[in-house]
Amino acid sequence: MKKGFLKGLFMGSLVILGLGVATLSSASAHGMHHRMMKHMIMHGGPIPFYLLNQDSLKLSREQVGRLLGLKQSFRKSAVMEKARIHVLRIDIMARMHHRTIDTARIDSDLDKIMSLKRSLMKDFVATVARANGVLTPAQYVEAGKLWRAMIRAHHGMKASRR
């Protein structure tokens, strides 16, 4: 009985901690970068940046169309994955309100959440790889220069000597 209670308490603490990380990190400077990264992931990584700078990068209409297609496809799948994760979190929290907690079921749901997150990140990496492949090597180099200039401006830095 005591071992089961402690395991349930430990698992509950992990779930609560895991579910509250986004809330806790938002209070710090790191939280801002975390939210920016989540935003980038949910909106297709560098694709919006490429599209915003399509004139500077001299993207063709065909390239713009391919990038828009990648962005939309990824966003749709990301929304579905995030919804599945959210539903699993709701289920876990509901199971935590019982006197006896089915830790095996919660363990299974946590594994499903991690699997969905892993799948989402793999899809993100594949989408970024496809998006980078849409650009010519020269456009990719130019995009890097534009990105660095934007970051320097954002952080109030002077242009580098390169």
Side-chain angles (χ1 to χ4, degrees):
M1 171 81 182
K2 192 172 189 175
K3 186 176 179 182
F5 172 75
L6 290 175
K7 185 176 179 184
L9 183 63
F10 176 71
M11 290 303 297
S13 299
L14 283 178
V15 169
I16 292 169
L17 177 65
L19 297 177
V21 165
T23 306
L24 293 174
S25 65
S26 65
S28 67
H30 174 73
M32 179 181 77
H33 290 283
H34 180 73
R35 283 189 308 275
M36 254 178 29
M37 195 61 168
K38 280 179 73 175
H39 179 79
M40 269 188 70
I41 290 170
M42 286 303 293
H43 294 279
I47 297 173
F49 180 77
Y50 295 160
L51 293 171
L52 276 171
N53 292 286
Q54 62 184 286
D55 292 335
S56 298
L57 296 173
K58 297 179 177 68
L59 297 180
S60 68
R61 284 186 181 191
E62 188 264 337
Q63 286 175 307
V64 170
R66 286 177 57 197
L67 289 170
L68 285 170
L70 285 170
K71 178 183 171 187
Q72 184 176 25
S73 175
F74 177 77
R75 286 185 71 192
K76 285 179 180 180
S77 66
V79 165
M80 294 304 292
E81 295 299 308
K82 295 292 250 178
R84 288 183 186 100
I85 290 168
H86 187 72
V87 167
L88 284 166
R89 285 179 176 166
I90 291 170
D91 290 344
I92 288 170
M93 293 310 294
R95 288 187 191 100
M96 298 293 291
H97 292 291
H98 299 284
R99 184 178 183 286
T100 55
I101 297 173
D102 185 354
T103 57
R105 180 71 188 266
I106 290 175
D107 285 347
S108 174
D109 286 348
L110 289 171
D111 290 341
K112 287 177 191 173
I113 288 172
M114 295 312 295
S115 176
L116 290 167
K117 286 184 174 187
R118 186 178 315 106
S119 173
L120 180 62
M121 289 307 298
K122 286 182 176 186
D123 192 23
F124 174 70
V125 170
T127 299
V128 171
R130 286 191 293 273
N132 290 347
V134 169
L135 275 59
T136 66
Q139 289 170 327
Y140 184 79
V141 168
E142 182 62 23
K145 290 177 185 175
L146 292 168
W147 180 263
R148 285 186 295 279
M150 180 192 70
I151 295 300
R152 281 192 302 272
H154 174 72
H155 290 286
M157 297 177 184
K158 295 180 182 177
S160 69
R161 295 178 192 179
R162 290 184 190 186

